[in-house]
Amino acid sequence: MCDAAIPDAVLAWYDRHRRVLPWRAPPGATADPYAVWLSEIMLQQTTVAAVKSYFSAFLAHWPNVDALARAPAEEVMRQWAGLGYYSRARNLHACAKTVSAQFGGQFPDKEAALRALPGLGPYTAAAVAAIAFGRKAVVVDGNVERVLSRLHAIEAPPPAGKRLIYAKAEALTPAERPGDYAQAMMDLGATICTPKNPACALCPLNGACAAFRAGDPARFPVKAAKRDRPLRRGAAFFVARPDGAVLVRTRPPKGLLGGMTEIPGSPWSEDFDEAAAPRHAPVAANYRRLARPVEHSFTHFALQLSVYVGEAGADMPAPEGCRWAAGDLENEALPSLMRKLVGAARRREFGGDA
């Protein structure tokens, strides 16, 4: 199979085997740019399975970009809680405001204009241009990288490998049905050309695939050498009143977990001193420390938090920067780390005392 035949083969396969996804327009229907954009932002660094419920909840709350633009930032963050990579939610809201105020609620249909919107990098701008507006754009996500790296047996690790993959993608992207082609390549990577145990016998491109011919498709894409992730440590203080209210605070709007709700605690550092943890307590209380720290992984570091549980008096005021939240915390934008921490605190499996 020559390169010129690849787009037609992929599209023919897609017409028979395309996935049904809540944000994807049915065959022959016009795509909704808002749904395409929302899904692409949510899918960054996140699986389709994880995104489906969040996507449906966002559409139920805010069925169009103008509605999302009018939403309070805190509510957007609360709905996003648990999906991770929280700068996406802040950029999502900023983009909705821009589209509503500057473009009359209509997304621009050119890749360059989309790229200028908050939170839309090269991939997302290309995906929205191709899928929502039928523009010829080079769309390369992780699934597409895997398909193309195997198809051409690209030996170079990143960043050189990524440049080669993009060049191959650019050469193959068709002028006709570019949105369907982009989604077809994504589906091919997600369902056939999977990271482990790819179903090569079912692949429409196996006749052209260099990695398949070599007998080792799972070796691609070649990865860069892994870097060790540093371990940071810290302490968190779970304080509750007799009525169940929990002491919380909001993180700064920018930076890691920006704008999200957290349990008060110490800074996170590689040289954290456990003996000094009590000085970071937000209020005076009799604290007991859980037997095991809460562990969490971020992209660039691992984290261990010692959890101290204390009880406050019914009339204790919240210190500056903190507030008392209803005990169920359902109206708080708790990221996954803080949900894990709250769960551990409520199980009260204690070890030593503070």
Side-chain angles (χ1 to χ4, degrees):
M1 181 187 296
C2 65
D3 280 1
I6 287 174
D8 287 342
V10 171
L11 285 166
W13 173 86
Y14 180 69
D15 288 340
R16 296 191 301 273
H17 301 292
R18 60 186 285 156
R19 290 180 293 176
V20 176
L21 299 172
W23 47 82
R24 181 175 286 176
T30 301
D32 175 8
Y34 176 66
V36 173
W37 163 75
L38 180 59
S39 67
E40 289 296 340
I41 298 296
M42 288 185 166
L43 286 165
Q44 294 169 10
Q45 307 291 326
T46 311
T47 65
V48 166
V51 164
K52 285 181 178 179
S53 62
Y54 283 88
F55 177 83
S56 298
F58 262 71
L59 279 192
H61 279 81
W62 307 296
N64 55 59
V65 72
D66 291 322
L68 180 57
R70 292 191 298 268
E74 311 81 58
E75 177 63 13
V76 174
M77 298 303 289
R78 188 178 74 82
Q79 287 297 320
W80 192 274
L83 199 53
Y85 297 92
Y86 295 98
S87 62
R88 292 181 298 165
R90 297 192 296 273
N91 286 331
L92 183 90
H93 198 213
C95 183
K97 289 183 175 182
T98 299
V99 172
S100 182
Q102 298 182 19
F103 295 93
Q106 302 297 317
F107 281 86
D109 62 359
K110 303 287 198 325
E111 186 177 354
L114 288 163
R115 178 72 189 276
L117 295 173
L120 273 74
Y123 163 76
T124 308
V128 174
I131 298 169
F133 300 109
R135 301 289 184 184
K136 182 180 178 181
V138 183
V139 182
V140 183
D141 72 347
N143 286 313
V144 178
E145 281 189 1
R146 188 165 56 254
V147 172
L148 293 177
S149 69
R150 291 173 177 174
L151 187 63
H152 299 283
I154 294 174
E155 296 281 356
K162 286 184 178 288
R163 291 194 293 268
L164 290 171
I165 290 168
Y166 187 89
K168 295 295 186 182
E170 190 172 29
L172 289 174
T173 299
E176 297 296 323
R177 299 179 65 188
D180 283 347
Y181 174 77
Q183 294 174 102
M185 290 292 281
M186 295 176 193
D187 281 11
L188 192 62
T191 64
I192 300 294
C193 195
T194 51
K196 297 179 181 179
N197 303 315
C200 297
L202 302 177
C203 180
L205 303 181
N206 57 20
C209 182
F212 177 63
R213 289 196 301 271
D216 192 14
R219 187 166 69 85
F220 300 92
V222 176
K223 295 180 172 61
K226 284 189 176 181
R227 296 180 179 178
D228 291 336
R229 283 189 306 169
L231 173 65
R232 298 181 188 175
R233 298 172 57 243
F237 297 85
F238 182 88
V239 185
R241 294 189 316 205
D243 64 359
V246 176
L247 191 67
V248 300
R249 67 187 180 195
T250 300
R251 290 180 66 87
K254 294 185 178 180
L256 186 65
L257 305 181
M260 304 299 289
T261 301
E262 71 172 354
I263 301 301
S266 72
W268 307 338
S269 65
E270 294 180 44
D271 58 352
F272 174 73
D273 180 8
E274 188 73 54
R279 72 179 60 166
H280 296 285
V283 295
N286 291 322
Y287 290 102
R288 296 187 67 192
R289 190 177 70 207
L290 298 187
R292 290 182 296 274
V294 168
E295 298 183 346
H296 194 76
S297 292
F298 291 100
T299 304
H300 301 298
F301 67 93
L303 177 67
Q304 287 184 352
L305 289 180
S306 299
V307 181
Y308 294 80
V309 179
E311 296 181 0
D315 57 351
M316 177 177 283
E320 184 177 358
C322 296
R323 64 183 184 279
W324 292 106
D328 57 16
L329 297 174
E330 288 189 359
N331 292 321
E332 297 294 333
L334 287 179
S336 298
L337 165 62
M338 293 300 152
R339 293 182 183 187
K340 191 184 300 185
L341 192 155
V342 169
R346 285 178 168 158
R347 287 193 295 274
R348 282 174 157 68
E349 297 173 353
F350 292 114
D353 294 330

